[in-house]
Each structure stands twice: as structure tokens, then as C-alpha cells.
Amino acid sequence: MRQRLLTVIALAGVLVAACGQSTSTPSPSSSKQGGTLTVAIGVAPDTLDPMRQTTTTIQNIVQMAVETLVQVNKQGQLEPLLATSWSHSSDGTTWTFTLRKGVKFSDGEPFNAQAVVTSIDRALDPTNVCPLCGQMPKFVQSVTATDSDHVQFTLNQPVATNFFLGNLSGVQFGILAPNTIQKGTPAYKDDEHPVGTGPYILQEYVSGDHVTMVRNPNYWGKKPAYKEQIIKIVPTAATREALLRADQAQVILDPPTADLPSLESDPNLKVLLAPDDRTIFISLDTVSTSQPLLQKVEVRQALNYAVNKAAIVKGTLYGAAVPMTAPMAPSLFGYCKMPDQYNYDPAKAKQLLQAAGAEGMTLKLISPTGRYIQDFQAAENVASYLRQVGINVEGPTTMDWPTYISTINVPPDKATTDAGLLGWAPGFLDASQQMVIFDGPLQPPKGLNTAYYNNPTVNNLISEAATQLNTTKRAAEYCQAEKIIWNDAPWIFLWVQKFPIAYSAKVTGVSYVPNESFNTIYAAPA
Amino acid sequence: MLTYVVRRLLIAIPTLWGVVTGAFIISRLLPGDPARIMAGLNATQQQVDRLRHQLGLDKPLWVQYQDYMGQLLHGNLGFSPHFSAPVAAQIAQRLPYTAELAVLATAIAVVVGVTIGVLAALRRNTLLDLILSAFAVFGVSMPVYWLGLMLILIFAIDLRALPAAGADSPQSVILPAVTLALFSIGLIARMTRASMLEVLGQDYVRTARAKGAPHRRVVLKHALRNAVLPILTAIGLQFGGLLGGAVLTESVFGWPGVGQLLVNSIFYRDYPMVQGLVLLFGVTYVVINLLVDLMYAYVDPRIRFD
């Protein structure tokens, strides 16, 4: 098949391939070698199998050992990793990847095209569990090794470049040593000891206690500074902080939010409020029959003007967020800043409510507790602002997470609340992953469009952009959709969360990817 | 004795059946879809449905119950969808940690609690009694969460003497065990004090003193041995409670025991794991109660089970 080079070998990629070092990996400011780095996290791994993963933090740990064909860098851009370049046919249905040479798995097996085919086939096997494989099993018809260094993906239909590569950057499509995941073996279904090509090797996981990663002496790229990283599981945020202060952990994720100012002022510690892609919002029932006033655009806009998001971010979230400036986070491809912002304007809110005949309207509000940064406290703040413009807010009421999801993720006729606080982190940094939550056909139970928002123009733009191979046109389509959504206000657009990481001043090179990911691979003693 | 033990174990069967059935029903009554929770918010409905089918959650409830009971009768606790591993294997990994914690906490609680209780009873209505009783009340009243963090603050951060969390060194168990023990110390001390006060007023204690037995012997041999029965009951119940109830302590100290496992399993609606753990706690209570009853006979020769 005639191949046309369209999206290939970014200059950075060539450089990376040439020097054998990834641009996403921050270079430590010192070249000191270290012994053990202890990182405390709050969530215990349910599985370490890349294919079965659903939790970003655990994916970050797995990514220390398992690499993907492409990866997302600190700027949120896609770049080569195990593939050095790629191209697709003019109709966008055949993709060819050139693989990095001289790479070996940590068990000594050679990395080649057949290894890629084995891993991808496993993830796409419908009898396997791969919650984050998304639409890929539907789009990918076959994966073949054309020779030892080239892999070809044949798709059923053209898909946008960022969409396809974004999917492949997920650890669920990580490349595992083929001998360890042979079909017919238990590991084919569930590989709890993944063997990859990464800078670290998974040494052990003591259930509920810690994961130990040791440096891969034969890593193809730049070697990490720390010989060993222990990822300690500590569910209580205050205890994680104690570990850091006692120097029993050098890096902690999600310290207690209220302690951020005190951690920031401690000269022995550093706080990184990493950019994130998780938007926090109040989903409004746009087709509510119990509160039909919510069907009016002006009412929903009024709710947006009524809430002082900047003040809540400062006072309740201690700066661990930035108010939304579009229906998605700035780190996503396709983001464009909205020309008219919903700045705090209670007078305008009252005026809009009055014009819509919605003065004194009642609004039932629910919120989870402990799922997002200061979520319930923020919902209480929102309720207070809404009351100030004359809205009779019932709530916020709260419940545990499974109950919450089963309350809010229901078809419109089963809805029992008018508004609910939610957070959404896109599968990867592409507008398509945020738009699923505004896509009309993807209302519960088919999807998580909990506002039941359904605008045919937006739906068409989303469909067009999904298969649009022209990147500029695709960005424009998303931008147009965002403007319509912003104006329709199916949400009270709140903020984009940040990802707080606190670490010892004795450590440098602690980094992130703007999708709620931490990266300590190239951390080093300061 | 053997007949008694066998009879007690047979009686335990319907109790445990009730416990398992109760856990099965209650876990299903909780709102929340295990398949959705497991697949994550980003999974498509098709993937969630497929997972639900794989987990057998699309079968009628009574069929699920029948399947589960069938497994149990074959000695199989089931398969945890959250961990994608057998329930028994997960519990086997975590139980030694909780057992270690519970045994050490009980040992501390017994030694300290009984000592405080005896001293308080002997110095009844003195300042010492007041101080010891206040300490016991403090132990019972302090929230584990707060107490644990205070101990971490003092011993891990300020003194840098002990690990703040985890289970990777032998010293790691000290802070969680002390935290867990404090609650039991309070209860055991109060129980010991009350029981000792009752016994110290008995004729045989007066007789022992009258015949010139040393004070130490009167207290330990004549009084404490007779006062020990209600204390034993309290210790037994406490131990059972510690095994299952170390949930908060384990969370605060990041201790990888079954308490944390239970909390996570409930949050993830991991039904087989919740059922397996509830059964474990049920069995623990049954066995502890039986052991306490058997110890009665050892402590009080008048008690015979035949």
C-alpha cells in the first residue's frame, strides 16, 4: 500500500531517537546517584496488569516498568517512545510504526514487532478485561508485524491522529515481554508481574503495603538516579504528610489540602501543584421535569454568574485549582479559551433569573465527599453563593462514591436530583475525551453525559472531529463546539484541579504529566 | 469436654450461615454497580455490561446466592473481581498483619489494663485510683484517628524514633499496636477494677488475710484469680473486635491488614471479598468465644462442660 508520510518524526522525536533519551523525562539538575526513594500514595493497586488498569496513580507506577509506543510529555504533547516514527495511509486506515532498535525487555527478550503484536492483540482480545481500551477494539481490525522493526495497524475507519496515538499512549497498550503473556497461560488474562522495557523493574508488590521498583541496569535510555523506588501505600493524607516530615518518605501525593500553605512555607519541603486535566463542575439536569426552569439557558447561565469560583479556589481549595476558562482543561488538544467568561456577577445572575421567572427557584444539589479536592466543602460554598442570589438550594447532600455514581449516572426519567458535583478526567489529552460527556447520544446508561445535554450542532461537530485527519480543522471544530457548550451552560463550570505533590527539598527532578500523573523516574538527590 | 466442643461447633454452623447470608443480602442492598466501579468512569457501557456478565452479576440474585453457597460448601471463598484474585489468597496475605497487630495490642492491653485495674481497686478512692481511672476513661474516649496521629507526631516526627506508617520494619507495629491497645486498656482496666472490688470484699479474701497470707499472694492468687472470669470475657470480645475492628488504625498507619481490605472492598462493592471477610470475622468471634468458655474451666475448676 502506498504510504504517505503525514504525521511523522517530530524533530524532537528524531533527537530523542538519536540520543536515546525521552524529552518527557525531566533531566535532574544534578547527576548524583541515589539509594532508595520512597514515594507515598493514597490508593492501593487493585491490579498491576497494564491492560486491566483503571487508576492513574497505579498506571504511573506501572509505567516505570512498562513502556508504550508513544507517550505524553510534560507539555501534554505526544512524542515517540518505543516507536521512533509513524505514518499513515492517505485514507487514514493503515498506520505503520517504526520501532526503536536495540531495546530489550528486562528479562532479556528482544523488543521487536512481534512483541508489539502480542501485547496489542492481548489488550484488544474481547475475552480479556481492558476497561480503558475504549473504542480501540471497535476501530482496530488487525495488527501485523511487517518485519522485525515495523508494525502495521489496519483500522476499520479513519480516526484522528491525536485520538489514535492518544489511545496508544495509555499503559493499557504497554508492550510486555511476549513470553510472559503467552495465550493460554494465566498471565494472558491477568499479568500481575508485568515485564516491560522501562527504566525500572517491578521487583515486588506486598499487597496493601508497598511496591518496590529497582533500576533496570540494561535500560536502553537514560538511567535513573535512584537505585530503588519504594511506593508506599498510605491511605490517610495526614499520615503521608507525617512520613514526609519525618523524612520516611521523600515524595507524597495528595497531601492534606488544608496543609498546603504550611507545607509550602517549610524550607525543608517543596510543593508542586502540577497542572491537571480534571475538570470539576456541577452537572445540571437540562431536561429536568421536577425543576423545569433548568431547561432554560438563561437560568443555567445565571447559576454560572452567581458562583465566585476564584474565591472558592483560593479560600477552600488553597489554590489547588484554576477556574475553568472553557468546557475542558487547557492541557487538552482542542482547548480554546472562551471569549466571554462567566465572571462572578451576582447582579447579572439575579437579572437573568428574574427575566426567566426563576427567582426563588429550588435546586436539589448533591456532592461526593473525598473523591475530589475539597469536593463537599466546595459544594457547600457553591450552595451558599446560589442562596445569595435567591435560589433555594436543598443540600448539598452527600453519600459514598458507589452510591453517588449510581444516583447521578441514571437515565433522565430516573433522575432524583437537579444538580450534582462531578469531576472528569479525560482518558488522554484530547478534546474527544472531554466531549464524550457533552455528546447527546452518550447520556446514561450509554455514557456519562449526566447533564443530558443534547445539542445537534455539537453532536455533529463531535462526530466530524473524531475522524478528521486535518489537525487544524479538527481543532477548529472542537473550538466551535466548545463555544456552543459554554453558552448553553449544561454545567456550572467550576475549575480545573491541580495535582498536589509534596516532596523533600533533598530531592530534585520530581515531575508530572498534565493528566494527574506523577513522574519520579528521573528524580535525583539534590 | 470434646463433646462440648463438637456441640458448640455444630451450633456455630447455623450462626455462620446466617452471617454469610446476611452479608450477601446487605452487600446487594447497597446502592452502586460493582461493574461500573471496577471498569471506571471512562469505560463504555458495552465494556461495563461485558464485565457484569463476566462477574456473573447479570444472573438472578437467587442464582448468585446458590452459586456462592455451592462454592462455600466446597471450601471456596470465591473470586474477588476488584483484585482479580481468589478471596482466600488475598485474605491469607493480609490476615497475618492484622493478627500480629491484634495479638500485640491485646498483650499490651491485658498487661497494662489488668495492672491498672488491680492497682485502682487496691487503692480505691485515692488519688492514684482517680488518676488510673481517668487514664482508663481517656483510653476509651480518645478517637483512634486523633490518637494515632498524635503518636505519629510525637514518635515519628518529633523524636524520629519510630516509623510513621507501613509494615516494613519490626518497629512498625509498635505505634498501631499501642493506639489499638489504648481503647482496650480502658475497658479491661475498668472491668478489672469493678471485678476486683467485688472480690476483695468476699469472705475468702478476708480469711486469707486473717490466716496471714502475704499481701501479694492474697491479691494475685485469691482475689485476681477469682476476679478474672468477667475480665476474660472482656478480653475475648476485645480480641475479636480488634481483629475485625482495626479498620481505622490500619488506615491511619497504612497497615496492610484485613481492616483496610474490608473498607476498600465495601467502597469497590467487591461482594465476594466483603462476604469472605464477614465470614472470617464471624468464625473469629465463634472461635474466640469458644476459647474463652474453655478457659473458664481452666481458671475456675468448679466449671465443667461434661
Side-chain angles (χ1 to χ4, degrees), chain A residues 43-47 52 54 126-135 137 190 192 205-210 230 232-239 241-243 245-248 372 400-403 405-406 409 422-427 445-448, chain B residues 30-33 36-47 50-51 54 79 81-85 90 93-94 97 145 149 152-153 155-157 160-168 248 250-256 260-261 264 266-269:
Chain A
V43 58
D46 43 358
T47 168
R52 301 173 70 101
T54 58
T127 66
N128 274 341
V129 176
C130 180
L132 295 183
C133 277
Q135 300 293 316
D190 185 8
E192 290 303 322
Y205 170 43
V206 176
S207 181
D209 191 56
H210 71 271
I230 293 178
K232 220 175 171 74
I233 297 139
V234 184
T236 304
T239 312
E241 183 182 341
L243 278 170
R245 290 189 186 275
D247 200 26
Q248 292 171 14
Y372 314 111
D400 77 324
W401 180 244
T403 311
I405 274 300
S406 65
N409 189 30
L422 262 181
W424 179 256
K446 282 187 180 167
L448 278 165
Chain B
L30 287 173
D33 176 2
R36 168 55 75 186
I37 300 298
M38 189 182 157
L41 284 188
N42 298 47
T44 63
Q45 188 59 31
Q46 210 179 3
Q47 287 165 322
R50 197 165 61 221
L51 194 58
Q54 284 175 354
F79 193 82
H82 176 63
F83 290 97
S84 57
Q90 280 294 312
Q93 275 184 35
R94 303 291 197 97
Y97 290 100
Y145 195 86
L149 289 177
I152 289 174
L153 195 65
F155 292 99
I157 299 182
R160 305 245 165 161
L162 291 168
D168 39 13
L248 271 179
E250 288 186 1
S251 290
V252 171
F253 290 97
W255 187 258
Q260 270 202 63
L261 190 61
N264 282 337
I266 293 171
F267 281 144
Y268 288 106
R269 301 293 189 261

Side-chain angles (χ1 to χ4, degrees), chain A residues 284-300 361 488:
Chain A
L284 302 168
D285 183 346
T286 58
V287 295
S288 176
T289 46
S290 63
Q291 181 44 282
L293 288 166
L294 280 178
Q295 296 178 19
K296 296 188 179 185
V297 172
E298 311 82 64
V299 171
R300 301 196 300 262
M361 71 178 274
D488 285 348

Side-chain angles (χ1 to χ4, degrees), chain A residues 71-390:
Chain A
Q71 70 173 353
V72 181
N73 64 19
K74 196 175 170 180
Q75 287 72 40
Q77 286 151 352
L78 289 158
E79 64 179 19
L81 189 59
L82 285 177
T84 53
S85 65
W86 47 86
S87 62
H88 62 72
S89 59
S90 53
D91 65 354
T93 57
T94 307
W95 287 73
T96 305
F97 289 82
T98 304
L99 305 182
R100 191 176 293 281
K101 288 186 176 128
V103 176
K104 281 192 171 176
F105 290 98
S106 58
D107 66 351
E109 284 184 69
F111 165 75
N112 54 29
Q114 196 48 50
V116 175
V117 172
T118 306
S119 284
I120 304 287
D121 276 350
R122 173 179 180 256
L124 296 178
D125 184 339
T127 66
N128 274 341
V129 176
C130 180
L132 295 183
C133 277
Q135 300 293 316
M136 288 289 270
K138 200 173 104 186
F139 293 137
V140 179
Q141 194 178 305
S142 65
V143 188
T144 46
T146 50
D147 59 44
S148 68
D149 299 327
H150 292 89
V151 173
Q152 198 171 69
F153 285 70
T154 308
L155 310 184
N156 291 321
Q157 62 178 86
V159 290
T161 304
N162 271 42
F163 182 88
F164 185 58
L165 297 182
N167 262 302
L168 286 181
S169 71
V171 76
Q172 65 275 21
F173 294 112
I175 311 303
L176 299 166
N179 280 344
T180 63
I181 49 162
Q182 287 299 320
K183 208 167 185 173
T185 64
Y188 182 74
K189 294 274 168 207
D190 185 8
D191 181 15
E192 290 303 322
H193 202 95
V195 175
T197 57
Y200 279 94
I201 301 170
L202 170 66
Q203 188 182 53
E204 67 162 356
Y205 170 43
V206 176
S207 181
D209 191 56
H210 71 271
V211 178
T212 305
M213 311 291 297
V214 292
R215 190 165 53 199
N216 179 357
N218 302 316
Y219 183 53
W220 58 268
K222 176 180 174 157
K223 310 277 188 301
Y226 282 102
K227 194 177 162 193
E228 179 184 70
Q229 294 203 15
I230 293 178
I231 322 295
K232 220 175 171 74
I233 297 139
V234 184
T236 304
T239 312
R240 289 198 294 277
E241 183 182 341
L243 278 170
L244 180 67
R245 290 189 186 275
D247 200 26
Q248 292 171 14
Q250 290 73 49
V251 182
I252 63 165
L253 308 186
D254 292 316
T257 314
D259 288 357
L260 285 174
S262 118
L263 289 165
E264 278 166 341
S265 64
D266 189 328
N268 298 316
L269 305 174
K270 286 183 178 174
V271 174
L272 171 64
L273 291 174
D276 194 354
D277 60 348
R278 187 181 291 279
T279 44
I280 305 291
F281 52 91
I282 307 259
S283 178
L284 302 168
D285 183 346
T286 58
V287 295
S288 176
T289 46
S290 63
Q291 181 44 282
L293 288 166
L294 280 178
Q295 296 178 19
K296 296 188 179 185
V297 172
E298 311 82 64
V299 171
R300 301 196 300 262
Q301 288 176 339
L303 301 183
N304 272 282
Y305 284 116
V307 179
N308 190 344
K309 295 125 193 171
I312 301 176
V313 164
K314 192 176 171 203
T316 304
L317 277 81
Y318 300 90
V322 280
M324 284 173 79
T325 50
M328 63 180 65
S331 53
L332 267 63
F333 168 85
Y335 160 88
C336 67
K337 190 176 175 180
M338 296 296 103
D340 300 311
Q341 293 293 315
Y342 288 111
N343 295 322
Y344 178 51
D345 191 345
K348 190 167 183 178
K350 280 183 188 170
Q351 190 192 335
L352 282 165
L353 288 171
Q354 196 177 18
E359 291 160 301
M361 71 178 274
T362 299
L363 188 81
K364 262 191 258 175
L365 175 64
I366 60 172
S367 166
T369 300
R371 181 78 186 179
Y372 314 111
I373 296 176
Q374 302 285 79
D375 44 13
F376 185 69
Q377 295 85 338
E380 283 181 314
N381 281 216
V382 169
S384 165
Y385 278 113
L386 295 178
R387 287 185 186 113
Q388 284 172 29
V389 296

